[in-house]
Amino acid sequence: MGSTRYDLDARYDRARKAGYGTKSAGEIFTQNAKRMAHESMNPHGISFRESRDSEVHPNSVPIILGLDVTGSMGHIPHELIRDGLPKLMGGIIQGGVPDPALLFLGIGDHECDGYPLQVGQFESGDAELDMWLTRTYIESGGGGNAGESYLLAWYFAAFHTRTDAFEKRKQKGLLFTVGDEPCLKTLPASAIREIMGKGQQTYTHFELLEEAQKKYEVYHISVLHSDQALRADRGWKELLGQNCISIADHRDIPNVIKHIICDKFKDQTFGTPGTGGVDQFQML
């Protein structure tokens, strides 16, 4: 994965032909009509998702974006496919990080949803990223419990990803979750077995956060569009400190992520990008 480049012109042309700017979420995210996760995004039986260097991307930077796809947050994938994703990828590359490898996760609620975790692949190309994003099933579930399963993103990152960035360069990746609820506090072994196919240990959210932080810089983007979100934000601040970023407008998500990534690598030299790299983009 990650052997193709992000071509902004090609992406805009394909988006126009696909009608991303005019079609409804239901028309774009076709798994919604099927009411089930796409087979390729079902994590059951997955050993690892890998972010590897290539001739095209010799300094791959693994980025995980866990999107809350429960009821109050289901509009955000639609916003990303319309124009947020090219702003995100274009901004990262324009900002001097030419080899981002982005993996999408769909996050629900392991206590009540049918598909609490959906998993894409680490990709760098525009067509591949659009494919994984639009395959996501926006289950619009969640429940009246104590939060959503953001800790599943930490579990998957900690135990089911491998990256050249960490293994070759001891460089941590970046993991972002986006949501408006608290994080559920426990991930039982029974839930792990149901989701992944095997699992013998129950984890707390503190334990999974600590495991994920060994290989990733962990952030949460708290979308403050309700009183409940404001209450949840306080808990995220206590948990992550400055790595919890609070926003009032979900359209700011691409810029928030872009700035964090570019600031992290601002003093690192990656070499001269080739075709489709930094020189292709205008500031977004």
Side-chain angles (χ1 to χ4, degrees):
M1 301 298 166
S3 61
T4 54
R5 297 185 186 276
Y6 202 89
D7 186 324
L8 196 58
D9 289 337
R11 202 284 177 177
Y12 281 140
D13 185 59
R14 189 178 59 260
R16 178 183 56 79
K17 293 176 180 177
Y20 288 165
T22 57
K23 287 184 177 179
S24 68
E27 292 174 303
I28 296 172
F29 295 87
T30 56
Q31 291 302 126
N32 291 4
K34 300 176 182 178
R35 301 186 63 82
M36 62 185 298
H38 195 281
E39 181 181 357
S40 64
M41 297 191 74
N42 186 342
H44 198 276
I46 289 177
S47 295
F48 297 99
R49 293 301 203 213
E50 297 180 316
S51 172
R52 299 303 188 187
D53 298 340
S54 65
E55 183 177 350
V56 176
H57 297 290
N59 297 286
S60 57
V61 175
I63 305 161
I64 297 175
L65 179 53
L67 299 171
D68 183 336
V69 293
T70 62
S72 60
M73 295 291 293
H75 61 287
I76 289 180
H78 191 205
E79 182 71 30
L80 284 174
I81 199 63
R82 291 179 65 177
D83 60 13
L85 185 52
K87 287 180 180 179
L88 171 60
M89 291 296 289
I92 292 170
I93 297 169
Q94 175 66 41
V97 183
D99 301 325
L102 177 61
L103 179 148
F104 290 113
L105 300 179
I107 302 296
D109 186 331
H110 69 263
E111 295 183 354
C112 58
D113 287 348
Y115 303 96
L117 179 65
Q118 299 171 66
V119 180
Q121 294 270 13
F122 284 104
E123 302 283 7
S124 300
D126 52 285
E128 292 83 359
L129 284 169
D130 281 359
M131 179 190 73
W132 288 111
L133 181 55
T134 56
R135 280 184 181 179
T136 305
Y137 171 38
I138 305 173
E139 189 168 2
S140 298
N145 51 0
E148 310 295 3
S149 298
Y150 307 108
L151 75 175
L152 280 172
W154 306 338
Y155 171 85
F156 193 86
F159 301 122
H160 292 278
T161 67
R162 289 177 173 171
T163 75
D164 277 348
F166 189 75
E167 294 172 10
K168 291 182 178 181
R169 298 181 287 279
K170 300 303 179 185
Q171 180 187 85
K172 291 185 180 183
L174 298 104
L175 190 164
F176 299 88
T177 51
V178 180
D180 63 351
E181 292 276 350
C183 182
L184 291 173
K185 302 299 189 290
T186 304
L187 183 61
S190 58
I192 297 173
R193 286 194 297 272
E194 184 174 353
I195 295 167
M196 301 299 304
K198 59 182 179 180
Q200 300 299 321
Q201 182 176 344
T202 292
Y203 295 94
T204 68
H205 70 314
F206 290 119
E207 291 170 333
L208 290 176
L209 176 59
E210 184 177 356
E211 289 294 329
Q213 287 173 329
K214 293 176 181 178
K215 295 193 294 184
Y216 292 86
E217 302 287 349
V218 178
Y219 298 85
H220 181 74
I221 299 175
S222 187
V223 184
L224 306 181
H225 56 187
S226 68
D227 290 341
Q228 169 64 17
L230 288 167
R231 291 190 292 271
D233 185 62
R234 291 192 288 271
W236 281 106
K237 289 286 196 300
E238 293 173 2
L239 185 64
L240 293 178
Q242 64 181 6
N243 281 19
C244 171
I245 298 92
S246 307
I247 60 174
D249 189 338
H250 66 273
R251 291 172 295 186
D252 290 335
I253 292 169
N255 278 333
V256 167
I257 296 174
K258 174 194 73 174
H259 284 303
I260 289 171
I261 294 172
C262 293
D263 284 349
K264 177 179 173 61
F265 294 103
K266 64 183 177 182
D267 296 323
Q268 185 166 335
T269 301
F270 290 101
T272 302
T275 304
V278 166
D279 54 347
Q280 180 182 350
F281 293 89
Q282 297 179 353
M283 287 299 286
L284 297 170

